[in-house]
Amino acid sequence: MAGGNWAGRRLGVTKSVCPECLRVVSAVKVERDGGIFLEKSCPEHGFYSALIWEGTVESYEAWGRDLQPADRILAAGPVERGCPLDCGLCEEHERRGCCVLLEVTDRCNLHCPVCFAQAGGGMDVPMEELGRQMDYLMSHGGPFNLQLSGGEPTMRDDLPDIIRMGREKGFSFFQLNTNGLRLAEEAGYAERLKEAGLSCVFLQFDGFRKDTYLALRGRPLFPEKEAAIDACERAGLGVVLVPVIAPGLNEDEVGAILDYALRRMPVVRGVHFQPISYFGRCREAKEGYRLTIPKLLSLMEEQTGGNILAAHFTGGNATNPYCTFQTNYLKQENGTLSPMVHGTARAYATSEQAREFVARQWSGPDMPAEESGCCFREPEDGGCCCGEDTAQRQFDTSSLDEFLVKLHNNTFAVSGMLFQDAWNLDLERLRRCYILETDSRYGMVPFCAYNVTSREGRTLYR
């Protein structure tokens, strides 16, 4: 919002961009009105303020306490104009990539009002160009986890060939970012993708009500989402539900989404929340309230009756902790969740460790769905953490293969990513981004820098 002045207790200084012209400007983090705000002023366009944290200074500082040392970026480019204008990656960047988006088309079979890519053109990226982008990634720190994106990547009939090409070049994990329509409608399509080497499906899943889908996707879609999950289950593909959560629209569906995901285990591997960001088609942040990490955690706790607790979560140490929240659970026989102490974000502090966890957890179930077993953690007294004596387990732990299958199939990941836009962009956070977009002109660009959009639609890279 324009106008205003600096007010409140200042916590730190950073840099951001002006939402009108994308000029780099100084910014401060300020405590006021029960939260932390990022405030900045452009000499041409005035003052702007964005909520970045609900809660106390102590809770804000504690969340970022375990910040890990910076990485050395392989084959980094020079710093000439400064962050965020030298991406590729440049020498100032502090994290190697974990997941890289490979946009294969700008065609789409929807016209989502919140599309970050403003998809809907008529162009596919030539296969030769995709091959060159893959070669670039392999020579700059790969193999990364590849996210096949767009547009809607299933618009391409040769998508299985793209996966096979990537396999030949040395990539081992392929994630399909999709609305699920083709998976739902075309018999055998999920099996063909699985046979080509697809690892998992990152499925748009914003809730259950018609008005939710009308607002975010332009048409009611829940039956198609269920049909897509069914298709992936038959094919043995893991599914991660990806809800965009918008203030005043589907905040009250957070618990129901988690409950549905648990019922659909093990084909559903977890839920990855994405609070709405204001870029692409959805680029004007409304003044006042926006979703934050503490708010999402409180919604989960309230709407699951305490089955999921805010205290179970940490920020991602492999990226900037203020970008994400995550934890992992083991589903018990009675449907409750037991947090995996050794499986939280603190267990992996590098981009490479994050890659390995994502590839392991989000891949499909190891065998057809079974009833949940115990949660597999034994306290010092020899009993099972779910209260069952280890001698009374319903499966034979002498079989290591069976144990590992049950462990994988009963593991449930809950996470979220708070992407930055022109209103709340913090360049300190951006320099630790490990979600990257590959682009033949620039190389690898942090997702938020690639998609940042001014109020009038200007971008820096896209």
Side-chain angles (χ1 to χ4, degrees):
M1 58 184 175
N5 50 42
W6 311 107
R9 174 186 169 191
R10 297 192 184 192
L11 305 178
V13 178
T14 184
K15 290 183 181 292
S16 185
V17 296
C18 170
E20 299 288 348
C21 63
L22 301 185
R23 174 190 307 191
V24 175
V25 296
S26 296
V28 296
K29 299 168 189 175
V30 175
E31 179 202 16
R32 61 175 174 82
D33 302 329
I36 314 299
F37 292 77
L38 185 75
E39 300 189 337
K40 55 196 175 184
S41 185
C42 172
E44 182 178 355
H45 298 107
F47 177 84
Y48 300 89
S49 178
L51 178 68
I52 59 175
W53 188 267
E54 284 181 271
T56 64
V57 173
E58 291 75 18
S59 67
Y60 177 76
E61 292 177 342
W63 190 262
R65 190 167 290 151
D66 292 335
L67 198 65
Q68 298 296 309
D71 290 333
R72 182 179 68 85
I73 303 302
L74 303 177
V79 178
E80 296 176 346
R81 297 176 294 170
C83 188
L85 304 175
D86 291 322
C87 294
L89 297 165
C90 83
E91 294 171 343
E92 282 191 343
H93 205 73
E94 298 178 359
R95 271 292 180 255
R96 293 188 287 269
C98 169
C99 300
V100 178
L101 276 77
L102 183 71
E103 296 193 357
V104 301
T105 184
D106 67 357
R107 292 189 291 149
C108 193
N109 46 9
L110 292 176
H111 190 80
C112 299
V114 297
C115 181
F116 66 83
Q118 303 187 64
M123 298 292 293
D124 292 340
V125 180
M127 186 71 80
E128 297 77 11
E129 180 58 35
L130 293 175
R132 286 192 289 269
Q133 291 183 21
M134 291 180 184
D135 291 339
Y136 178 90
L137 294 176
M138 289 297 292
S139 65
H140 287 74
F144 303 101
N145 294 346
L146 283 188
Q147 297 188 19
L148 304 172
S149 189
E152 171 53 48
T154 63
M155 297 291 288
R156 291 190 66 141
D157 291 334
D158 60 356
L159 188 60
D161 296 328
I162 294 172
I163 298 170
R164 281 188 281 266
M165 179 175 67
R167 290 273 179 187
E168 292 171 358
K169 291 181 178 294
F171 295 92
S172 59
F173 183 84
F174 296 85
Q175 170 184 311
L176 175 62
N177 295 356
T178 181
N179 57 37
L181 295 184
R182 188 166 181 179
L183 289 166
E185 296 166 357
E186 185 174 323
Y189 184 62
E191 284 81 0
R192 291 198 297 276
L193 294 176
K194 172 73 171 180
E195 182 181 1
L198 185 66
S199 307
C200 83
V201 171
F202 218 50
L203 180 67
Q204 290 175 0
F205 192 97
D206 303 316
F208 306 93
R209 295 191 299 259
K210 287 184 178 180
D211 60 343
T212 295
Y213 284 103
L214 286 170
L216 296 177
R217 307 298 168 191
R219 55 180 273 200
L221 288 171
F222 177 67
E224 288 86 346
K225 303 300 181 181
E226 282 208 297
I229 296 169
D230 292 341
C232 291
E233 187 169 36
R234 290 190 294 270
L237 284 168
V239 176
V240 178
L241 305 185
V242 187
V244 168
I245 305 297
L249 179 67
N250 58 345
E251 290 172 288
D252 61 337
E253 295 192 82
V254 166
I257 291 169
L258 289 164
D259 182 64
Y260 178 83
L262 286 168
R263 294 200 308 271
R264 295 305 307 263
M265 287 179 70
V267 59
V268 172
R269 310 301 307 141
V271 178
H272 186 73
F273 291 100
Q274 294 181 353
I276 195 166
S277 296
Y278 300 95
F279 45 36
R281 287 198 187 106
C282 180
R283 57 178 175 252
E284 184 169 358
K286 304 302 181 185
E287 293 185 10
Y289 182 71
R290 64 190 295 159
L291 291 169
T292 65
I293 289 174
K295 180 62 175 180
L296 261 294
L297 298 184
S298 69
L299 290 174
M300 286 191 284
E301 185 167 318
E302 293 164 6
Q303 295 177 26
T304 63
N307 199 17
I308 289 176
L309 296 177
H312 294 160
F313 289 82
T314 63
N317 293 340
T319 184
N320 186 288
Y322 297 106
C323 293
T324 187
F325 57 87
Q326 51 197 323
T327 199
N328 309 304
Y329 292 97
L330 279 164
K331 183 181 177 184
Q332 299 183 28
E333 190 174 40
N334 63 2
T336 61
L337 298 175
S338 175
M340 297 175 65
V341 176
H342 300 294
T344 65
R346 300 186 194 281
Y348 50 89
T350 68
S351 300
E352 289 79 6
Q353 289 172 332
R355 286 184 215 171
E356 292 168 4
F357 171 78
V358 166
R360 182 173 63 252
Q361 171 59 27
W362 289 358
S363 294
D366 288 336
M367 61 180 0
E370 296 179 310
E371 294 297 319
S372 297
C374 87
C375 56
F376 308 105
R377 290 191 296 110
E378 297 182 20
E380 293 180 359
D381 63 5
C384 177
C385 67
C386 63
E388 182 183 9
D389 187 276
T390 52
Q392 301 299 318
R393 289 180 177 169
Q394 295 181 357
F395 61 92
D396 180 12
T397 55
S398 65
S399 169
L400 180 60
D401 288 343
E402 182 181 358
F403 175 83
L404 294 175
V405 164
K406 286 182 176 285
L407 178 63
H408 176 74
N409 287 359
N410 285 278
T411 301
F412 182 68
V414 182
S415 58
M417 182 68 68
L418 279 78
F419 294 116
Q420 301 178 89
D421 51 48
W423 308 86
N424 66 354
L425 185 67
D426 179 345
L427 298 189
E428 290 181 2
R429 280 177 59 185
L430 186 68
R431 281 194 288 269
R432 298 185 73 88
C433 177
Y434 67 13
I435 308 297
L436 310 174
E437 293 250 13
T438 180
D439 187 292
S440 58
R441 298 162 297 171
Y442 305 109
M444 291 183 287
V445 182
F447 181 90
C448 295
Y450 195 77
N451 292 292
V452 68
T453 311
S454 75
R455 193 201 295 265
E456 297 303 318
R458 180 190 166 203
T459 60
L460 297 177
Y461 293 95
R462 179 172 288 282

